[in-house]
Amino acid sequence: MAMPLRQTIRVGTYLFEQKLRRREKFPLIVELEPLYACNLACEGCGKIQHPAGVLKQRMPVAQAVGAVLESGAPMVSIAGGEPLMHPQIDEIVRQLVARRKYVFLCTNALLLRKKIEKFTPSPYFAFAVHIDGLRERHDASVAKEGVFDEAVEAIKEAKRRGFRVTTNSTFFNTDTPQTVIEVLDYLNDDLKVDEMMISPAYAYEKAPDQEHFLGVEQTRELFRKAFSGGNRRRWRLNHSPLFLDFLEGRADFPCTAWAIPNYSLFGWQRPCYLMADGYVPTYRQLIEETDWDSYGRGKDDRCANCMAHCGYEPTAVLATMGSLKESLRAARESVSG
């Protein structure tokens, strides 16, 4: 892992507090979607399939910040849609950072260089740029040429200005171990981003492209081969060792989607941002009124091929915290990374 020490201590302290309070369900990070509008039409995403009236909506600042505070989560991932299209996104970030929430602003980076003056570097804030491959593969995945080059320039500019920059890469069944290695080598060694997140593509039901999502065995084989030769330890991956074990098929976990809840224009989404089985207005209702035992691989057919971060990374983190051996392993890998 490459999580900064301050953030590691904050999250560890938070988890210890939940254990002392004997809370069974609590959020690690809130996925906040203050809009659905986007300036791209990615093949694997269905967010812009909403009606035009919904795509025009923008969540008020007080509502966005209030939802995060209501949940109590120490971290926030702001997505959408494209968050930089929100006219008050800088104010949402500013207020969350002022409350010492760790904020990751997910972006395709097309507007980043134009909007970067609105933001201030902080140990509590990072841009999370979506990069799904090198130039040809990335531009194909977002269905627009030139996006990769703009994202690269935006990353360089953000780092030049002192911002933390992370990346998020989704891989499909058109990927090979070599394409995974190539893009992660580039991000890690050439662009030198601070952290990298990776995820197998999940069969999001509204996505235009339904043919290229990975199955469980495909995912395990892809990452097992990509991680070989010392790559896994060399890359600055922002994941727990147990989650990386999970991607390789060396460990298996139940889904804990309740630990990364989604709050959008419609409210708190059941059970996660990838599936929409209804919405509730409060975080408490989400936790108490959702049948969490009905979701996950082997329980819901829609979850059959899901190995997404939002469901399984929290399980891995909790398993790490519950084991001295795994906690020491995570600490070693954090230092060596």
Side-chain angles (χ1 to χ4, degrees), residues 4-191:
L5 180 60
R6 181 186 305 192
Q7 186 177 343
T8 301
I9 293 173
R10 171 72 178 280
V11 174
T13 301
Y14 169 80
L15 291 173
F16 184 68
E17 289 173 350
Q18 307 316 303
K19 186 175 182 179
L20 287 179
R21 296 175 183 177
R22 298 184 179 180
R23 293 180 66 187
E24 293 184 359
K25 293 180 174 63
F26 49 85
L28 286 175
I29 182 170
V30 168
E31 291 182 334
L32 177 67
E33 296 181 324
L35 80 172
Y36 287 129
C38 190
N39 48 6
L40 288 176
C42 301
E43 293 294 319
C45 176
K47 295 295 183 180
I48 63 170
Q49 305 304 318
H50 289 289
V54 173
L55 295 179
K56 293 179 181 178
Q57 295 180 32
R58 305 290 184 265
M59 187 181 292
V61 174
Q63 181 181 344
V65 175
V68 175
L69 297 182
E70 177 197 2
S71 76
M75 299 181 288
V76 187
S77 173
I78 305 179
E82 170 50 55
L84 290 177
M85 292 177 64
H86 193 298
Q88 295 176 293
I89 190 62
D90 55 316
E91 183 60 18
I92 293 175
V93 168
R94 189 192 68 78
Q95 291 197 24
L96 290 172
V97 166
R99 290 166 172 82
R100 296 187 178 181
K101 302 295 183 181
Y102 286 93
V103 180
F104 297 85
L105 194 155
C106 303
T107 176
N108 58 40
L110 286 179
L111 294 173
L112 182 50
R113 287 198 287 175
K114 180 179 179 180
K115 301 290 185 73
I116 198 168
E117 295 284 356
K118 292 176 173 284
F119 300 92
T120 303
S122 166
Y124 291 97
F125 176 67
F127 289 111
V129 180
H130 207 94
I131 300 287
D132 281 347
L134 296 182
R135 182 179 292 108
E136 183 177 349
R137 294 189 70 81
H138 181 70
D139 287 355
S141 75
V142 301
K144 186 175 182 178
E145 292 184 2
V147 177
F148 177 82
D149 288 339
E150 177 57 34
V152 167
E153 292 306 313
I155 289 172
K156 291 178 179 178
E157 178 64 13
K159 288 189 66 63
R160 186 186 70 80
R161 290 172 177 256
F163 288 95
R164 288 183 61 222
V165 180
T166 69
T167 55
N168 187 5
S169 300
T170 304
F171 298 106
F172 297 81
N173 66 11
T174 51
D175 277 291
T176 66
Q178 187 57 36
T179 64
V180 175
I181 291 169
E182 287 172 353
V183 68
L184 295 182
D185 273 352
Y186 178 73
L187 296 172
N188 191 84
D189 302 337
D190 295 301
L191 282 187

Side-chain angles (χ1 to χ4, degrees), residues 1-2 184 195-196 198 227 232 235-239 244:
M1 288 190 298
L184 295 182
E195 301 166 347
M196 300 178 293
I198 56 178
F227 289 162
R232 172 174 157 172
W235 290 328
R236 291 183 296 279
L237 297 173
N238 186 22
H239 294 289
L244 298 178

Side-chain angles (χ1 to χ4, degrees), residues 23 88 135 192-193 197 310 320:
R23 293 180 66 187
Q88 295 176 293
R135 182 179 292 108
K192 293 180 170 50
V193 300
M197 285 184 60
C310 63
T320 299

